[in-house]
Every structure is written in structure tokens, then in C-alpha cells.
Amino acid sequence: MIITIMIINKNAIKVIAFDADDTLWINEPYFQKAEHDFCALLENYLPQHAVSKELFETEMNNLPLYGYGVKGFILCMIETASRISAGQLSLKTINKIIAIGQDLLKMPIELLEGVEDTLIRLSAHYKLIVATKGDLLDQERKLKNSGLQKYFHHVEIMSNKKNEDYIKLLNKIECPAENFIMIGNSINSDVLPVLELGGQAIHVPYHVTWTHEQASDEVKPSNFLQVESLDQLLPILL
């Protein structure tokens, strides 16, 4: 992937939107641990790497039905396990799969480094919002437990992050695209759609990224910057 890095026009920015999972707090490592436990549970049927591949295919097939989040992940694990076992899965194993998903929903919130100080300082100068994908109840719980809710003027939990989803968001918060900047860990979800609408974006990569969110094509956007952590936003935006 080739990235052309441009300078952010901070004078145009009125609203800063933050992704949540793996931008504000840790998320994907928990999912990967859950997937590992699930694959280990089924290794009598297939090697773990093959189970992982089957699970990913199930998730992609079901995205239009379930969307993003833990609940859809649980259903996909059960469907995958049933298919791999040719319908011979025991109720005990199904209960173990459900428990793997429930443990995900109970994970503590661990903020990424520099997040709260960054939000404190930026909130004095900009309107901050959350724009994240996922299950409504789960994302609301995580935001509440994070202690960060007080820094945001608006929270948008989106079923997807395509151009049309951002258009709806911008209309709702009454913000022209040119006055909007999106900050997140996904090129596909947090950067490209916003740039296509005429907004700005800052990519904050996380060391673990779900395969579905990994950008493989050449990226040559304008108004796009990449930083290593959120605290590096301060000299850029203040």
C-alpha cells in the first residue's frame, strides 16, 4: 500500500470525529483471542487455520444480515461450527461458543495511550463526536465504561461506514464535509469514505487490524495524514 501524506488544513475544521474500537480503546486483540479459543474448540474437525478461514467467510457472508459487533460474531461462530461438524455439534460445545462471545461482551475497557489527555485538550477548541460501527448496546456500554462520554457532543453508532453513512451523519450534525475530520485506525472505514466526500482524515494505525478492515489497494488521497498515536494530534490540530 502506498500512502501519500498531505498536510491537514486545521483552519477549516469545526468537528472532529473519532472512531472508537482500536482508536480510543483496545478491541481487536480481544476478538482475536476469542477466535483463537473458538478455533481450538474445533480442532478435532479441522486445523485451526482452516477453522479461522471458515469463520471469516461466514462473517463476510452474514455482514448484510448481522452487521458488525459481538452478537453477530457469536452467531457466525455457531453457524461455522455447525457447518464444520456437519450438524453434529453437541449442546455442550454450543454453550462453550456462546460463553466465548459473552466473555467478549464483559471485557474491561482499556484506553489507548494518551487518549483522555488528547480529548481534554481538543474539546476546548473543537466539537468532538464519536462515529463508530458495531452493536448499539455494546458500543454504548463501552463508551459509558470508558469514562470518555463527557468529552463528546454527539455519539453516532453506525451500521456501516460507507459514503452514504457519512452523508447521513454530516446532515444530522449539520456540518459541511469540508469542516469535518475523521480520526481512526481503518483506512477503509475511517479515511477513504470521508476523503471522497471532501472531508479530511487522520489515520492512527493499530498493530492488530481485522482482515476485513485492511486496505490492500494503493491509496493516494489528499487531506490525509498518518500518526502513530492520538497524542501526536495535538501539535497538528492545536
Side-chain angles (χ1 to χ4, degrees):
M1 179 177 65
I2 300 174
I3 297 176
T4 301
I5 298 179
M6 306 296 290
I7 295 179
I8 295 298
N9 178 13
K10 70 178 182 180
N11 294 326
I13 299 169
K14 305 297 181 184
V15 175
I16 302 177
F18 288 86
D19 176 52
D21 293 335
D22 298 317
T23 297
L24 300 178
W25 53 68
I26 293 172
N27 180 68
E28 182 59 23
Y30 296 148
F31 269 87
Q32 294 209 354
K33 171 61 165 57
E35 181 176 325
H36 177 270
D37 293 344
F38 169 73
C39 294
L41 198 59
L42 296 177
E43 62 184 354
N44 288 337
Y45 296 98
L46 283 176
Q48 291 190 29
H49 72 274
V51 177
S52 179
K53 181 180 178 181
E54 291 287 336
L55 176 59
F56 182 72
E57 290 179 0
T58 305
E59 290 180 284
M60 294 303 97
N61 289 337
N62 286 332
L63 266 181
L65 292 174
Y66 302 150
Y68 299 86
V70 178
K71 293 173 186 174
F73 181 64
I74 295 172
L75 291 172
C76 288
M77 286 193 292
I78 294 172
E79 180 182 334
T80 302
S82 177
R83 184 173 67 250
I84 288 173
S85 67
Q88 300 303 307
L89 207 64
S90 69
L91 183 58
K92 181 179 180 181
T93 302
I94 292 174
N95 286 334
K96 288 181 179 180
I97 293 171
I98 293 172
I100 289 172
Q102 289 178 336
D103 286 344
L104 265 179
L105 291 168
K106 298 173 184 175
M107 284 293 178
I109 301 303
E110 184 178 349
L111 298 181
L112 291 170
E113 184 177 356
V115 166
E116 186 157 22
D117 181 61
T118 299
L119 295 179
I120 289 171
R121 295 182 63 183
L122 290 178
S123 64
H125 301 272
Y126 299 95
K127 182 177 181 179
L128 307 185
I129 73 170
V130 173
T132 191
K133 292 187 296 190
D135 177 79
L136 176 63
L137 184 61
D138 186 35
Q139 293 297 71
E140 287 179 339
R141 175 193 62 82
K142 287 192 283 190
L143 184 57
K144 179 181 178 181
N145 292 344
S146 73
L148 301 177
Q149 196 164 3
K150 58 183 175 289
Y151 301 116
F152 297 107
H153 289 79
H154 178 79
V155 176
E156 191 77 9
I157 300 172
M158 308 159 77
S159 59
N160 211 335
K161 282 183 170 179
K162 302 296 185 183
N163 292 41
E164 58 268 26
D165 303 293
Y166 280 106
I167 290 172
K168 290 178 183 177
L169 171 62
L170 292 171
N171 288 337
K172 183 178 294 186
I173 63 175
E174 299 180 333
C175 178
E178 58 266 26
N179 300 137
F180 180 84
I181 187 168
M182 182 71 203
I183 297 169
N185 68 299
S186 171
I187 294 285
N188 290 338
S189 293
D190 301 318
V191 173
L192 296 182
V194 174
L195 297 179
E196 289 171 4
L197 295 176
Q200 301 184 69
I202 295 179
H203 181 223
V204 190
Y206 189 62
H207 69 280
V208 180
T209 304
W210 185 29
T211 304
H212 179 61
E213 295 290 359
Q214 294 174 2
S216 57
D217 296 331
E218 183 176 292
V219 180
K220 292 182 178 179
S222 59
N223 298 328
F224 166 48
L225 183 68
Q226 181 171 295
V227 298
E228 296 304 316
S229 61
L230 282 191
D231 54 9
Q232 293 182 3
L233 297 174
L234 297 176
I236 297 168
L237 297 174
L238 296 183

